[in-house]
Amino acid sequence: MQLRSSDLAPQLAKSLLPAYVIHGDEPLIAMEAADAVRAAARKNGFGERQVIEPGRSFDWSEFSHAAAAMSLFAEKKLVELRLPNGKPGTQGAAAIAAYCENPNPEQLLLVTLPRLDRTGQGSAWFNALARLGAIVDVWPLDRARLPAWISERLSRQKQRAPREVLEFLAERVEGNLLAAHQEIQKLALLAPEGELTLDVVEEAVTSVARYDPYDAAEALVSGDIARYVRVIEGLRGEGEAPTFILFVLSGALFALHDGSADRIFNRDLRRAVEGAARRFSRRKVDRAIGEAAALDRTIKGVGVGEPWMGFIRLGLNLVDGAKG
């Protein structure tokens, strides 16, 4: 079965297929499509999840074993196979095709990879997956459709904007949906619900900043406290809104807590969170989340202290003795 990304949600609402392959050119939409499959799997009782990302010397018998093994902790399991270069190799192609011939009824297979060329899409393993489940094609959003896409995303957070504002945002992000997603998140935090004027939007998103809140979060979860403090001080000097900085940092902390970076769309931060799984103890992360909650109250004017020193203190407490 072939599906466009826009058709995935209606299909998932009807039934859950044994396998889904998500491939394409737009990272944000691809990540959201994968997240939709994961959510549907959880809703349908797939309580365990195993992620497999083959490296250069990967033994494909590990995939075969994972795909065949029964779950130890739940009745059903989601097996997620990530192919960053889109090429499983000879052994991988054989292992995938073999699984498709005899799929485990208690498992759901989710494969994510970049868009394949004609040769890749004509391969035996890819067509075996298409026969077993669904191939979700993720296509870039053309420039003419970007204002409508931004408008729809704004409506999800109870905001709307006239054409001139939508065009301003579309020009600003230059077709980059990840950048557009970040700007829309900013507007949710920094602008009111309802109609957005051009002046309000320009004030919220226009920036020539050298520093980025996502850089601060990446430095934090990487344990680079010197860089973290430098970026926080830079953000302070450039007048970045503490509300948005806290939003980004909190997202990273909750990802560490949950052991999943699925909801982080910034690529560098996502990789940093995935690489930091064992760097911080659960107690440290829980404490940092508590400090973030206190910072939220401070920023809203109902807590004690000053937010910028609070950001630095949060970082020092998390990174200092990270295993403690």
Side-chain angles (χ1 to χ4, degrees):
M1 177 187 295
Q2 296 277 341
L3 294 174
R4 294 186 68 90
S5 56
S6 57
D7 298 325
L8 177 60
Q11 191 283 315
L12 290 171
K14 292 178 182 178
S15 64
L16 202 59
L17 300 175
Y20 290 86
V21 179
I22 298 170
H23 78 125
D25 306 307
E26 181 47 65
L28 176 68
I29 296 177
M31 285 188 282
E32 290 183 336
D35 202 45
V37 173
R38 296 182 193 108
R42 288 192 297 270
K43 184 178 179 180
N44 283 271
F46 289 82
E48 186 180 348
R49 175 178 170 225
Q50 183 173 356
V51 177
I52 301 172
E53 187 167 338
R56 181 172 297 179
S57 58
F58 180 72
D59 182 354
W60 277 91
S61 65
E62 293 183 28
F63 166 75
S64 301
H65 175 73
M70 296 296 292
S71 170
L72 296 176
F73 306 105
E75 294 183 358
K76 300 178 182 180
K77 180 170 72 172
L78 171 65
V79 176
E80 187 169 335
L81 178 62
R82 298 177 179 175
L83 301 174
N85 64 2
K87 298 177 180 179
T90 304
Q91 290 184 346
I96 293 170
Y99 176 81
C100 292
E101 289 295 322
N102 187 29
N104 187 334
E106 297 300 314
Q107 294 189 359
L108 172 66
L109 179 62
L110 170 61
V111 183
T112 57
L113 65 166
R115 175 166 299 283
L116 297 182
D117 58 19
R118 183 173 297 179
T119 300
Q121 293 188 46
S123 63
W125 66 271
F126 192 81
N127 281 281
L129 286 166
R131 289 190 298 271
L132 178 63
I135 305 294
V136 182
D137 289 314
V138 177
W139 295 94
L141 191 72
D142 61 72
R143 174 61 179 80
R145 295 167 56 206
L146 185 54
W149 184 88
I150 294 172
S151 178
E152 191 276 331
R153 293 294 170 119
L154 287 173
S155 70
R156 296 182 187 183
Q157 54 201 41
K158 300 180 181 180
Q159 293 175 323
R160 59 186 183 276
R163 185 72 186 183
E164 65 170 349
V165 173
L166 298 175
E167 287 291 346
F168 166 77
L169 288 168
E171 288 291 337
R172 176 174 169 77
V173 301
E174 299 179 346
N176 185 328
L177 294 195
L178 284 170
H181 177 74
Q182 181 173 329
E183 300 293 28
I184 292 166
Q185 285 182 318
K186 275 190 176 182
L187 289 170
L189 293 165
L190 305 179
E193 294 181 359
E195 184 86 6
L196 301 176
T197 66
L198 184 58
D199 288 343
V200 168
V201 172
E202 285 182 329
E203 183 179 354
V205 306
T206 300
S207 173
V208 292
R210 294 173 52 223
Y211 298 96
D212 187 332
Y214 288 94
D215 292 338
E218 180 193 352
L220 178 64
V221 300
S222 299
D224 188 347
I225 191 63
R227 178 172 172 240
Y228 170 76
V229 171
R230 184 167 64 250
V231 175
I232 289 294
E233 291 292 356
L235 291 167
R236 180 181 189 177
E238 291 176 343
E240 181 63 74
T243 303
F244 186 62
I245 299 171
L246 182 61
F247 171 77
V248 174
L249 294 178
S250 297
L253 291 173
F254 279 111
L256 287 175
H257 178 274
D258 296 340
S260 171
D262 292 337
R263 297 301 298 162
I264 295 180
F265 297 126
N266 180 280
R267 290 182 179 179
D268 292 337
L269 179 55
R270 185 188 183 103
R271 281 195 293 266
V273 169
E274 289 174 341
R278 299 181 181 178
R279 180 170 293 121
F280 306 106
S281 69
R282 182 64 174 265
R283 184 172 66 86
K284 283 280 186 180
V285 174
D286 287 346
R287 182 184 299 171
I289 290 173
E291 291 185 52
L295 265 173
D296 181 55
R297 293 190 293 272
T298 296
I299 292 169
K300 291 176 178 176
V302 295
V304 297
E306 187 273 332
W308 296 102
M309 284 305 300
F311 285 132
I312 293 174
R313 186 163 50 248
L314 183 155
L316 290 171
N317 289 341
L318 178 65
V319 175
D320 181 33
K323 290 293 183 180

